[in-house]
Amino acid sequence: MAGAAGQFGGTNKAGGRVGTRDPLWMRWSLTIVAVGFLALMLVLPLVIVFATAFSKGWAGFAAAIAESESWSAIKLTLLAAAVSVPLNIVFGVAAAWAISKFEFRGKDLLITVIDLPFSVSPIIAGMLFVLLFGAQGWLGPWLAARDIKIIFAVPGIVLATVFVTVPFVARELIPLMQSQGREEEEAALSLGASGWQAFFRVTIPNIKWGLIYGVILCNARALGEFGAVSVVSGHIQGVTNTMPLQIEILYNEYKFVPAFAMASLLVLMALLTLVVKHGIEWRAARSHAQIVDETVGAAATA
Amino acid sequence: MARVKRHRVLPGFGLTCGYTLTYLGLIVLIPLATLFLKTSSLTWSQFWTTVTSERALFAYKLTIGASFLAALVNSVFGLIVAWALVRYRFPGRAILDALVDLPFALPTAVAGISLCALYAPGGWLGGILQKAGVQAAYAPLGVVIAMVFVSLPFVVRTVQPVLADLDQEVEEASASLGARRWQTLRRVVFPSVLPSLLTGLALAFGRSLGEFGSIVFISGNMPGRTEIASLLILTRLEEFDYAGATAIAVVMLGLSFGMIFVINVLQSWSRRGAV
Amino acid sequence: MSIEIQGVTKVFGDFKALDRIDLTVPSGELVALLGPSGSGKTTLLRVIAGLESSDEGSILFDGEDATTRHVRERGVGFVFQHYALFRHMSVFENVAFGLRVRPRKLRPSREEIRERVMKLLKLVQLEHLGKRYPGQLSGGQRQRVALARALAVEPKVLLLDEPFGALDARVRQELRSWLRRLHDEIHVTSVFVTHDQEEALEVADRVVVMSGGRIEQIGTPEEVFHHPANEFVMHFLGNVNVFHGRVEGGKAVFGDVAVEHAETATTARASDAEPLDDEAKPAKVFIRPHEWDIAVYRNGRPAMEAVVIHVNAAGPVVKVSLLSESGEPVHAELPLEHYRSLELRTGQRVYLSPRKVKVFFD
């Protein structure tokens, strides 16, 4: 960082704006504190994951992933995400449509309920399903009589994952669609489009980036959910272990290289999520800047 | 609930609203209702004894105290990080800015094992701390560290847009009136970010309250020393003491729902400030 | 306090916002910086305030070099275009701010601050609104709070950036005359920026017309309006008809019309100012819309034939659009009574003779 001193010392986003410039010592020390804090809290944990995963080279890494229990954990994790993400996309779009395009009483309450799973601790979330479907749960005896297993089985894991990822798509879309209003859809209808046509040709193109954003966040959480899944899984290796649960088992058995090898896959997923997220934000900022430019230009020529 | 004011032009209200309510009912509301039904099967004194047992009281105290400390740490550093990201230009700024969201995207179990490995005695940081006579992993400090990690983005991401939107003319006005830079920061800049800072603090606190995955590894889970509320619930469940688990869960849920209310109040306050 | 600006240049990237500006503002005067957007007028104001540092040149306050003085030590009052009020402080607190942040030794006592703030609020006619917050005020009221706040530190120079830019037309008109009266009362050297020529001409003692980072003309409102130094000033201060013609034998000639002209100026070369009498020289002829006489019949005066294509008679001055014989659009303005006596109709043929022309050589 010392090499950048010249560039650093002179620049403030404000450029020549004397009245908003911090003194040099303050710029230096705050930057060092900020960078240091983020490096310590965020970068170092990432570094240790890869350092440990590859501490025995590529071979050690590959062997860890190729183990059959690891492999079945990966498959189960992908299955849980493959079910919960589409379900929550449909839900998110439907909820956002109802909330943003219509006025009705209880709307604020509905939005609060959609956000509820965020406020429920993952352990409690998992516990809800144990209370409902477990052997001593409300539906337990009924399910047992029909030989249906939900808790300590795959359906329970999927259910718990769906629960914790309910809000992601909806909460991205609701504010976005509210800010866009309903004029464009009304215009489409007035031009003779059907409701579905208006939805697919007008609404979807308008919300696609917000939708993608919600989906990747939803996906990241679905792949990484630990607490809720842990409660309903029963930890049966090779059957009901997802990747995070498998990581826990490996770590507790002091198998650090395989544990961090699995973890590194999830880190890659998380980093990819961040890349996509910032790609979308960058896009949005750029198109916004363009609009502002054009408005200013128009005003100037007028 | 779903009574529409006349005059609706767009189709699909019945379908989407009906689907939304059904889905929420099945996935969220019925399971939550089960919890409260289960609690009501306890008598009041049973409930009271469970939730005020010494072990439970300690778990609440640790959870709340550590969450608050973590939120406080993140308020101080989050404010500095947000200021540096918005106002200064330095190499690597864009990458660090993107990385702030990492705790949102990184599975908590991964965070848990890497923090544990870092801070364990003999680990990269744990070794240094040990020499200084501080134990981080398997101690309450470890709980705080894990909570700082998972709630790190909240303060930064609530304060950052407010700082970016701050009208720099206001700072110039302050300078032209003779204020020194620190006077401008304290009297003009800080009051305008205070509502968002408190909102971020409340969000971070709320997030830490329910955190589980990143804490279980580093905390060591010793009852009466490093056992957080979530873990106590899990322990009770594994002992098939569903009533006990439920009672503690109700207390924690009540706390979380209380935080939703506080955050709503804070958010409407920051919006009101934005004239 | 007088302000002297000597050879000030300011560059943003590869955009020259100010190009070697020289300007003197005498003590106690009210000066307008007038120009289109991008002319550098706001940058000049910010450089005077010390909010922006200049790349070259110097700023003198009362003959003393203030170029490197920090904005907080310059003793200027700056009123921002969007007021920049502190929105978490009441009106009273906003006005008191500049006094409260003074070092303890120079800070007035509580009562003194109170007294001075109340006096200022009275001056700007807001004494009853001290407890309100900026968000609860109208645009005009905010503007006056911003002014009171700037005056509270007893600045030796008052700088205002588009002071009426964000207000609606009627409030604007009121505040303009109010600012003029206020200046006559407190007599502090003031500079304000505007893109509205009417505003500059009405309020200022002197007008500085700027474009492209340079000063085009400095003069009293009357001077710049009636004796514009060049084409740019002519165009910028009001509508004008332009004809490509020539000067021949001391007369301005355009189309079939040849008229005496009082004043000649050049846009490019000063040495060519007065051409020889009988040598024809190409020139641009400028005629303001209100300088036309419109006649229905030829009356012997040099005149240009034109057809009326549109008449806007809403208001005391009637605006008439015409098309000359050679196909050029011509704009004319005449008093309502005169228009009525002429009984102009669309499609009618009329004769236009200029009362006054202004010529600039190419």
Side-chain angles (χ1 to χ4, degrees), chain B residues 170 172-173 175 183 187 191 273, chain C residues 46 72 86-88 101 149:
Chain B
V170 175
E172 292 182 329
Q183 286 176 314
R187 288 167 172 258
Chain C
R46 289 172 62 87
R72 71 173 151 264
F86 308 129
R87 61 176 175 228
H88 60 279
V101 295
R149 184 179 69 176

Side-chain angles (χ1 to χ4, degrees), chain B residues 58 62 66 116 119-121 133-146 215-222 225-228:
Chain B
F58 180 84
L62 176 67
C116 184
Y119 290 94
V134 179
Q135 195 191 353
Y138 319 125
L141 179 59
V143 177
V144 177
I145 291 172
I215 300 173
V216 281
F217 297 96
I218 196 172
S219 75
N221 309 325
M222 289 161 279
R225 181 164 150 75
T226 58
E227 186 180 55
I228 53 165

Side-chain angles (χ1 to χ4, degrees), chain B residues 162 166-167 169-181 183-184 187-189 191-192 273-275, chain C residues 46 51 70-73 76 78 80-82 84-89 97-98 100-101 135 142 149-150 153:
Chain B
V162 177
L166 216 62
D167 185 1
E169 279 194 353
V170 175
E171 288 166 58
E172 292 182 329
S174 171
S176 80
L177 291 168
R180 321 215 125 254
R181 186 65 187 151
Q183 286 176 314
T184 302
R187 288 167 172 258
V188 175
V189 176
S192 23
V275 183
Chain C
R46 289 172 62 87
L51 289 169
H70 192 273
V71 50
R72 71 173 151 264
E73 276 128 27
V76 299
F78 200 100
F80 291 82
Q81 185 178 359
H82 301 289
L85 295 178
F86 308 129
R87 61 176 175 228
H88 60 279
M89 294 182 202
F97 184 86
R100 296 239 158 107
V101 295
R142 285 183 212 184
R149 184 179 69 176
V153 292

Side-chain angles (χ1 to χ4, degrees), chain A residues 27-216:
Chain A
R27 271 179 276 160
W28 268 102
S29 45
L30 289 188
T31 307
I32 289 168
V33 170
V35 172
F37 179 68
L38 294 182
L40 180 74
M41 289 312 301
L42 300 179
V43 180
L44 218 49
L46 291 187
V47 173
I48 201 170
V49 170
F50 288 105
T52 319
F54 288 99
S55 61
K56 291 196 181 134
W58 268 102
F61 179 82
I65 300 294
E67 239 175 273
S68 78
E69 278 160 7
S70 302
W71 196 232
S72 67
I74 293 173
K75 279 191 287 192
L76 180 57
T77 302
L78 292 177
L79 172 73
V83 175
S84 57
V85 172
L87 275 179
N88 286 323
I89 291 175
V90 174
F91 163 73
V93 172
W97 181 270
I99 286 169
S100 65
K101 306 291 179 197
F102 303 97
E103 295 304 322
F104 54 90
R105 283 200 312 198
K107 197 193 256 193
D108 290 340
L109 182 66
L110 183 59
I111 294 174
T112 309
V113 173
I114 291 173
D115 271 347
L116 268 189
F118 274 155
S119 314
V120 176
S121 160
I123 292 297
I124 299 178
M127 182 180 129
L128 299 179
F129 292 99
V130 174
L131 292 180
L132 200 55
F133 300 115
Q136 301 176 21
W138 295 92
L139 297 173
W142 188 86
L143 290 170
R146 280 155 191 79
D147 209 20
I148 304 172
K149 241 177 131 37
I150 290 181
I151 298 307
F152 306 144
V154 175
I157 289 170
V158 173
L159 263 178
T161 309
V162 172
F163 178 92
V164 297
T165 52
V166 160
F168 282 94
V169 177
R171 72 150 34 190
E172 284 309 319
L173 290 186
I174 291 169
L176 180 65
M177 284 169 71
Q178 277 179 329
S179 74
Q180 287 175 347
R182 59 195 130 198
E183 277 186 9
E184 287 188 41
E185 283 82 3
E186 285 171 353
L189 292 188
S190 77
L191 294 170
S194 72
W196 286 110
Q197 281 174 321
F199 175 72
F200 282 110
R201 289 170 181 249
V202 176
T203 312
I204 289 283
N206 274 341
I207 62 170
K208 69 175 171 218
W209 294 111
L211 185 60
I212 293 172
Y213 189 20
V215 168
I216 58 157

